[in-house]
């Protein structure tokens, strides 16, 4: 990706949307799903992901569930009711931003 700074500001929205669609996920699973969905264009590092997850948890948007998998504890993240509301808010905010940017630079959307 030419400019990952644009994605950096959207990390919270990306995490919330994935959790809305997948119910619960663990950190590595989130990074791999993003890589898959973007065909390798976006790679979220652990250094960016885990602070974002911890912040969302502290804000009450995520619940954490520990499960033992292959003799290791794995942390699964799941949206709370407040997290569901925040996801809706963040997606509307992102859509508004995209519309504004398209109007400013007169681009036609390439995605559906």
């Amino acid at each position: 990706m030419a400019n990952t700074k644009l994605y950096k500001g959207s990390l919270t929205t990306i995490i919330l949307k994935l959790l809305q669609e997948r119910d619960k996920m663990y950190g590595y699973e989130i990074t791999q799903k993003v890589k898959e969905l973007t065909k390798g264009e976006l790679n979220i590092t652990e250094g960016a992901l885990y602070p974002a997850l911890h912040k969302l948890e502290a804000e009450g948007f995520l619940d954490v569930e520990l499960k033992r998998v292959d003799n290791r504890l794995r942390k699964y993240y799941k949206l709370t009711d407040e997290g569901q509301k925040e996801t809706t808010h963040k997606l509307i905010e992102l859509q508004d931003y995209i519309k504004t940017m398209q109007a400013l630079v007169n681009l036609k959307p390439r995605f559906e």
Side-chain angles (χ1 to χ4, degrees):
M1 169 71 8
N3 190 348
T4 56
K5 289 179 185 176
L6 292 173
Y7 284 109
K8 194 174 185 181
S10 302
L11 181 57
T12 296
T13 306
I14 292 167
I15 293 167
L16 292 172
K17 180 61 177 166
L18 284 174
L19 290 172
Q20 184 184 56
E21 291 178 351
R22 307 266 309 205
D23 187 39
K24 65 182 175 183
M25 299 176 82
Y26 57 96
Y28 181 75
E29 183 180 15
I30 292 170
T31 64
Q32 294 308 297
K33 190 65 178 172
V34 168
K35 188 187 276 187
E36 174 191 328
L37 290 171
T38 64
K39 296 179 173 80
E41 287 290 316
L42 179 60
N43 292 307
I44 298 175
T45 65
E46 289 180 10
L49 178 66
Y50 288 102
L53 287 170
H54 296 154
K55 183 174 186 279
L56 288 166
E57 180 185 0
E59 292 172 337
F61 299 136
L62 299 182
D63 275 335
V64 174
E65 177 184 327
L66 293 174
K67 277 192 174 179
R68 186 166 298 281
V69 177
D70 294 331
N71 224 12
R72 294 178 51 204
L73 280 180
R74 183 176 284 168
K75 231 182 199 185
Y76 284 87
Y77 298 90
K78 181 179 179 146
L79 291 178
T80 62
D81 290 341
E82 284 302 309
Q84 289 284 359
K85 292 175 192 171
E86 182 67 4
T87 303
T88 300
H89 171 75
K90 287 289 192 185
L91 291 172
I92 290 168
E93 191 177 77
L94 180 60
Q95 288 172 341
D96 290 345
Y97 174 76
I98 291 169
K99 284 180 192 174
T100 300
M101 291 305 295
Q102 286 172 339
L104 285 171
V105 296
N106 198 26
L107 288 178
K108 293 188 176 16
R110 331 185 316 211
F111 53 88
E112 294 182 354

